[in-house]
Amino acid sequence: MDFAHLALARDPHDRLGLHRTDEAWIDGRWADPGSRVLVVSGTRVRPRDGALEWLPTAEAPDGVRVLLGDRGDATWWAVIVDGALAKEEPEAWFPLRGLLPFLSGDQADKAPLVFHALGLAEWHWATRHCPRCGGHLMPRAAGHELVCEQCGKPQFPRTDPAVIMLIAAGEPGSDDERCLLGRGSQWPEGRFSTLAGFCEPGETLEDAVRREVAEETGVVVGEVTYFGNQPWPLPSSLMLGFFGRAVTEEIRLDDDDVDEARWFTRAQMREEAEAGTLVLPGGVSISRSLIEHWYGGPLPGSW
């Protein structure tokens, strides 16, 4: 199968990490007429005419200059300015989740650049003071490092590992095989997805799968196998996809994050998706890829 979530990580750019502290090289590439820059106001971006706007660097406002890297014949950048621009026109500036529709089709190749830019912007927004002494932080290394002016301690961008899993029960491949989906407490009726949660310190990814499923649904999971991963900077996650086999099937909802959980056979999933009573995640999510891989093909409808 051609999984839609992989489009958001296809054709990665060369991040040029060895050049981030070379100021002369940075200035030369910034001055190149072929370089392009994405303006980020706080953590938001303004699309124009149905697409994201990549400006010549000569037209970029002042702000934190972030080197994203080389792709094709151009060097790509982001400039992070304060959130005032987005506050002046809130309906015109979108957070990353709102930008996902602009990262499909012929714009999908820019997704790794946008994820890089917005991930760093979220980190700059959330990391205002030194966690050791409370001092002021200054950017360096082309926006990929913050250093405390008071104690000198550097800070680096963080990525939080999160597991996302499709749990199955019954004979694999049989008509009776079923998978477990849950509905979040803030979601409307009929909207279901795979279960997910963050990995805790000192925990393996496989054990995080078992713990999260048990906490959210009471279902005990045995075998866990890796499927794939997806950068998901909303604001700073790496989604690690797994399949798991259930040891028990009784559902017990003790977690406030999950309002409803159900087992679905393939026939039930298809019937309810066609009727619109089951609404599954969009194609750009690894959750959709997990579901359709288990189902064996594409399904109708999405968030």
Side-chain angles (χ1 to χ4, degrees):
M1 290 182 63
D2 184 17
F3 297 116
H5 81 274
L6 295 176
L8 298 185
R10 199 168 286 149
D11 297 326
H13 49 288
D14 181 350
R15 295 181 176 232
L16 302 172
L18 296 178
H19 292 287
R20 289 172 184 166
T21 57
D22 186 340
E23 293 299 329
W25 185 93
I26 291 283
D27 290 341
R29 286 297 183 94
W30 180 263
D32 188 324
S35 291
R36 289 295 180 267
V37 61
L38 183 71
V39 178
V40 183
S41 177
T43 60
R44 292 173 177 256
V45 172
R46 179 176 58 188
R48 288 186 184 273
D49 300 322
L52 300 186
E53 185 177 39
W54 294 88
L55 300 173
T57 53
E59 298 178 19
D62 292 334
V64 177
R65 191 167 63 182
V66 175
L67 172 66
L68 302 176
D70 279 355
R71 189 178 182 282
D73 297 327
T75 302
W76 302 80
W77 308 78
V79 167
I80 304 172
V81 300
D82 66 29
L85 291 177
K87 289 180 180 178
E88 290 173 3
E89 299 179 276
E91 70 287 346
W93 293 78
F94 292 78
L96 181 53
R97 191 176 295 277
L99 295 174
L100 294 178
F102 300 96
L103 297 176
S104 60
D106 60 359
Q107 296 293 310
D109 63 334
K110 302 296 192 304
L113 292 163
V114 175
F115 276 27
H116 189 175
L118 270 292
L120 282 173
E122 289 278 2
W123 173 62
H124 278 263
W125 179 82
T127 313
R128 307 294 184 89
H129 301 282
C130 175
R132 182 162 71 180
C133 75
H136 182 255
L137 297 171
M138 285 291 293
R140 66 182 184 188
H144 291 76
E145 186 176 338
L146 295 171
V147 63
C148 179
E149 291 185 311
Q150 187 167 306
C151 72
K153 182 175 176 61
Q155 302 295 322
F156 300 93
R158 61 174 293 171
T159 297
D160 300 318
V163 292
I164 183 165
M165 46 277 183
L166 186 138
I167 306 304
E171 182 66 24
S174 70
D175 291 342
D176 188 50
E177 188 184 21
R178 48 215 170 272
C179 77
L180 179 64
L181 301 180
R183 183 172 66 83
S185 57
Q186 304 300 316
W187 299 352
E189 291 289 335
R191 179 181 289 188
F192 280 82
S193 182
T194 50
L195 303 177
F198 287 101
C199 185
E200 294 189 348
E203 185 176 46
T204 68
L205 296 169
E206 292 82 359
D207 283 342
V209 169
R210 298 182 181 101
R211 175 184 53 77
E212 285 287 347
V213 173
E215 289 177 355
E216 294 186 345
T217 67
V219 171
V220 177
V221 174
E223 180 186 10
V224 173
T225 56
Y226 177 69
F227 170 71
N229 67 85
Q230 178 181 37
W232 198 246
L234 297 162
S236 58
S237 298
L238 176 66
M239 305 302 293
L240 298 141
F242 292 89
F243 289 106
R245 301 300 303 184
V247 175
T248 67
E249 297 184 42
E250 181 183 358
I251 294 173
R252 185 184 68 254
L253 300 180
D254 295 328
D255 192 309
D256 292 338
D257 291 338
V258 178
D259 263 11
E260 185 180 1
R262 287 177 53 194
W263 293 100
F264 293 86
T265 65
R266 290 178 177 85
Q268 288 171 333
M269 183 176 287
R270 180 77 188 187
E271 179 182 355
E272 295 193 34
E274 288 178 341
T277 54
L278 170 63
V279 184
L280 298 169
V284 297
S285 167
I286 193 173
S287 177
R288 181 73 173 218
S289 297
L290 284 163
I291 293 169
E292 291 191 338
H293 182 72
W294 174 82
Y295 176 77
L299 286 158
S302 69
W303 299 1

